[in-house]
Amino acid sequence: MNRYLLKGLGFTIAGIACLYYGLQIMGPENNWYKVLLSVGVILFGFGFITLVYRMFRKIDRDTIMENRKSDKKEK
């Protein structure tokens, strides 16, 4: 597993946990849920973007490797 996959999964899971806990403590007397929901959305978004970035890097790497193979065959 590469570092972008691990970071993406970690941030996404942390974001989901913050969102879940924020929804559980939501109530009129407790205002910490607002902070938890905000942090959860930011963490989830960052994790999702990191996972998408990892996918684009993998596709780009595969394309580069295919081009190198075809260049070797031509020579």
Side-chain angles (χ1 to χ4, degrees), residues 15-49:
I16 290 171
C18 285
L19 289 170
Y20 180 76
Y21 188 65
L23 289 173
Q24 293 299 317
I25 65 169
M26 187 183 292
E29 69 280 344
N30 194 351
N31 286 330
W32 278 102
Y33 76 92
K34 296 176 185 177
V35 175
L36 278 174
L37 290 178
S38 299
V39 169
V41 167
I42 291 169
L43 287 175
F44 182 81
F46 187 72
F48 184 76
I49 289 172

Side-chain angles (χ1 to χ4, degrees), residues 1-2 4-5 50-66:
M1 294 175 120
N2 71 12
Y4 294 110
L5 178 62
T50 306
L51 287 173
V52 170
Y53 177 69
R54 182 235 180 222
M55 185 176 57
F56 285 141
R57 281 180 50 101
K58 181 154 180 72
I59 292 170
D60 188 43
R61 182 180 184 281
D62 291 342
T63 305
I64 289 171
M65 297 305 281
E66 285 178 15

